[in-house]
Amino acid sequence: MTKAIEAYPDNRYDAAISCGVFTLGHVPPTALEEMIRFTKPGGLVVVSTRKSYYDSTDFQEVCDQLQAENKVKLVSSIIDGPYLAEQGAHYWAFRVW
């Protein structure tokens, strides 16, 4: 998700779910835009982030910008929820506009 996934057409899927992808060294927070692109309006984008990833990136700023641009609306989030014994995670659900 560091570049457009040409095999996935725009507005194709009812939901896009990502677990274990938004971690340090994998994809940047801006990869959310690609998930939004191939999710239908009204669909859901659901992601998890390790707490360390969230703290080390501009993930929150990207989420805020996507909402300000009316691309998504936050439906629900869990901050510092259970994940690994040594580290919590954050969970996000967005509705695509």
Side-chain angles (χ1 to χ4, degrees), residues 15-19 22 32 35 39 44-48 91-94:
I17 300 169
S18 169
C19 182
F22 287 91
L32 284 168
M35 294 179 74
T39 303
L44 292 173
V45 171
V46 180
V47 300
S48 65
Y91 302 90
W92 313 82
F94 298 98

Side-chain angles (χ1 to χ4, degrees), residues 12-88:
R12 173 67 179 242
Y13 300 99
D14 294 321
I17 300 169
S18 169
C19 182
V21 175
F22 287 91
T23 61
L24 292 172
H26 285 189
V27 297
T30 53
L32 284 168
E33 292 183 47
E34 182 64 1
M35 294 179 74
I36 292 164
R37 180 190 66 76
F38 58 71
T39 303
K40 293 177 184 176
L44 292 173
V45 171
V46 180
V47 300
S48 65
T49 64
R50 285 188 181 201
K51 186 178 180 310
S52 59
Y53 176 87
Y54 178 87
D55 292 343
S56 301
T57 66
D58 62 345
F59 190 88
Q60 185 63 57
E61 289 81 8
V62 170
C63 292
D64 292 345
Q65 184 63 37
L66 292 169
Q67 292 178 85
E69 294 171 356
N70 291 318
K71 293 182 178 180
V72 295
K73 178 177 172 71
L74 182 65
V75 175
S76 181
S77 66
I78 299 171
I79 303 302
D80 205 18
Y83 184 66
L84 300 171
E86 67 273 7
Q87 184 175 172

